[in-house]
Amino acid sequence: MPLTIVRNDITKMDCDAIVNAANNSLLGGGGVDGAIHRAAGPELLAECRTLGGCDTGRAKITKGYRLAAKYVIHTVGPIWQGGGHGERELLASCYRESLRLAAENGCKTVAFPLISAGVYGYPRAEALRVAMDTCSDFLMEHDMMIYIVVFDRGSLLVSEKLFADIRRFVDDNYVSEHTDKDRKLRARLFGSFAAKSESMEGAAMAAPMAAHSNMAETVCEEAALPDGLAEAMARMDESFSQMLLRKIDEKGLTDAQCYKKANIDRKLFSKIRSDVNYKPKKITVIAFAAALELTIDETRDMLMKAGFALSHSSKFDIIIEYFISHGRYDIIEINEVLFEFDQPLIGG
Ligand code: ADP
């Protein structure tokens, strides 16, 4: 997944470079800056002294010393003054300049903290948005793995309204599933009326079971007849990979437009492209469904081809259903919400 959000201490990230939210002097400070200097050792400060400070929105690079990361990229974020003083552009410039330095120094993996979102007071949700948008723009032109590292829980990372809408949607759908389970449990524990409804459910279950056993016989028969099997195979539905490529064409996208929009690594996409029977992960299928702006039915169809479904007993599935059925396909936004709900992110 070329762009992802993780919860971690950035000094522990094993990347080619980690980015430091420094101040103009580059001579160390509190917050993430202090943590990076403590973990890297005094040699880092010694090198920083030779750099002559750094302007807001710009970046400078040093070695990583005792860190797992080979480099530290020091950038100076803007101090939040209400949003009308060019803060957004300066913050975006921090990410762009840091990524430019990372690319010039051959880095393939880079980790950022939420620059300016601590002592400098930039609202966290907006700081995350700038980080995600700027990094995703950069990834349109470059191959790199970028981590946005969120340290503490603090305030929300998505808008309160969106969070509340999704929380309600999850609760409504999750609860109905569990109410249903409760009902079945009550049925098992008490009373004949409940028992009746159980047996009806049992009958309903019997039909698919019978169908299944017939199917098993048919399969055995066919297996004994290699010609028949070959014929059946020839009639197989289109695979996930075939459906994906067809949809890309139908939507008039290029492959690169599609996999970049889907937050999918180029190498993974070429594997899928070259293997008609490729079995992707669920987070990969959903990322493609969002990038291709599929309807909820088309999404279910694509998931089924890869052996998955959307259920109401998983928060992840309900959140995905919320976005797709509301026609909201912004993968950055979906991932921000998934992260906020402690769910896996989509992409691959
Ligand atoms: P700034 O002055 O740019 O606001 P801060 O260091 O005060 O910088 O905070 C920037 C962000 O880094 C905040 O969101 C803070 O929670 C986070 N942070 C602090 N320590 C760490 C750490 N060890 N790893 C990752 N993020 C951190």
Side-chain angles (χ1 to χ4, degrees), residues 186-239:
R186 274 198 305 278
R188 233 173 262 129
L189 293 173
F190 314 108
S192 59
F193 168 74
K196 227 186 254 168
S197 73
E198 277 264 277
S199 73
M200 281 172 70
E201 271 165 11
M205 283 295 288
M209 293 282 283
H212 186 257
S213 76
N214 284 344
M215 199 171 72
E217 276 165 29
T218 317
V219 169
C220 288
E221 245 170 55
E222 296 234 333
L225 295 167
D227 285 350
L229 184 61
E231 212 178 282
M233 300 280 263
R235 285 199 310 268
M236 242 168 47
D237 275 357
E238 78 176 339
S239 69

Side-chain angles (χ1 to χ4, degrees), residues 314-317 319 335 337-345:
S314 143
K315 275 190 195 168
F316 173 86
D317 289 5
I319 294 170
N335 274 340
V337 168
L338 288 170
F339 182 79
E340 193 72 79
F341 280 82
D342 286 326
Q343 298 300 311
L345 308 193

Side-chain angles (χ1 to χ4, degrees), residues 8-11 21-22 30-33 35 77 113-121 124 149-152:
N8 202 353
D9 172 349
I10 202 165
T11 64
V32 72
D33 196 4
L114 274 186
I115 298 162
S116 285
V119 173
Y120 282 5
R124 265 160 59 98
V149 182
V150 174
F151 191 48
D152 38 24

Side-chain angles (χ1 to χ4, degrees), residues 163-325:
F163 187 80
D165 282 355
I166 293 171
R167 160 118 301 153
R168 202 171 314 114
F169 190 79
V170 168
D171 286 349
D172 287 351
N173 290 285
Y174 207 47
V175 167
S176 65
E177 186 79 11
H178 286 265
T179 310
D180 196 41
K181 275 200 197 123
D182 289 349
R183 191 179 57 73
K184 282 191 193 159
L185 184 64
R186 274 198 305 278
R188 233 173 262 129
L189 293 173
F190 314 108
S192 59
F193 168 74
K196 227 186 254 168
S197 73
E198 277 264 277
S199 73
M200 281 172 70
E201 271 165 11
M205 283 295 288
M209 293 282 283
H212 186 257
S213 76
N214 284 344
M215 199 171 72
E217 276 165 29
T218 317
V219 169
C220 288
E221 245 170 55
E222 296 234 333
L225 295 167
D227 285 350
L229 184 61
E231 212 178 282
M233 300 280 263
R235 285 199 310 268
M236 242 168 47
D237 275 357
E238 78 176 339
S239 69
F240 162 75
S241 154
Q242 287 167 326
M243 178 175 180
L244 173 66
L245 299 177
R246 172 170 65 79
K247 284 284 173 196
I248 293 176
D249 287 347
E250 282 174 14
K251 301 276 169 177
L253 293 174
T254 63
D255 289 355
Q257 280 168 337
C258 178
Y259 69 73
K260 288 189 172 182
K261 197 169 165 207
N263 193 25
I264 301 280
D265 178 66
R266 180 172 50 84
K267 291 195 204 99
L268 174 58
F269 183 82
S270 34
K271 264 196 225 156
I272 297 173
R273 187 175 232 311
S274 58
D275 178 357
V276 73
N277 294 314
Y278 188 86
K279 285 282 170 254
K281 290 188 190 155
K282 189 169 180 178
I283 51 171
T284 306
V285 183
I286 290 173
F288 279 122
L292 291 162
E293 305 192 356
L294 301 187
T295 63
I296 192 74
D297 288 341
E298 290 171 322
T299 303
R300 288 186 198 281
D301 195 21
M302 188 179 254
L303 278 165
M304 206 170 63
K305 289 184 185 302
F308 302 112
L310 286 179
S311 92
H312 278 190
S313 52
S314 143
K315 275 190 195 168
F316 173 86
D317 289 5
I318 298 171
I319 294 170
I320 296 304
E321 190 180 321
Y322 173 92
F323 277 102
I324 303 265
S325 57

Side-chain angles (χ1 to χ4, degrees), residues 23 62 65 118 142 335 343:
N23 57 37
T62 63
Y65 299 99
H142 299 83
N335 274 340
Q343 298 300 311

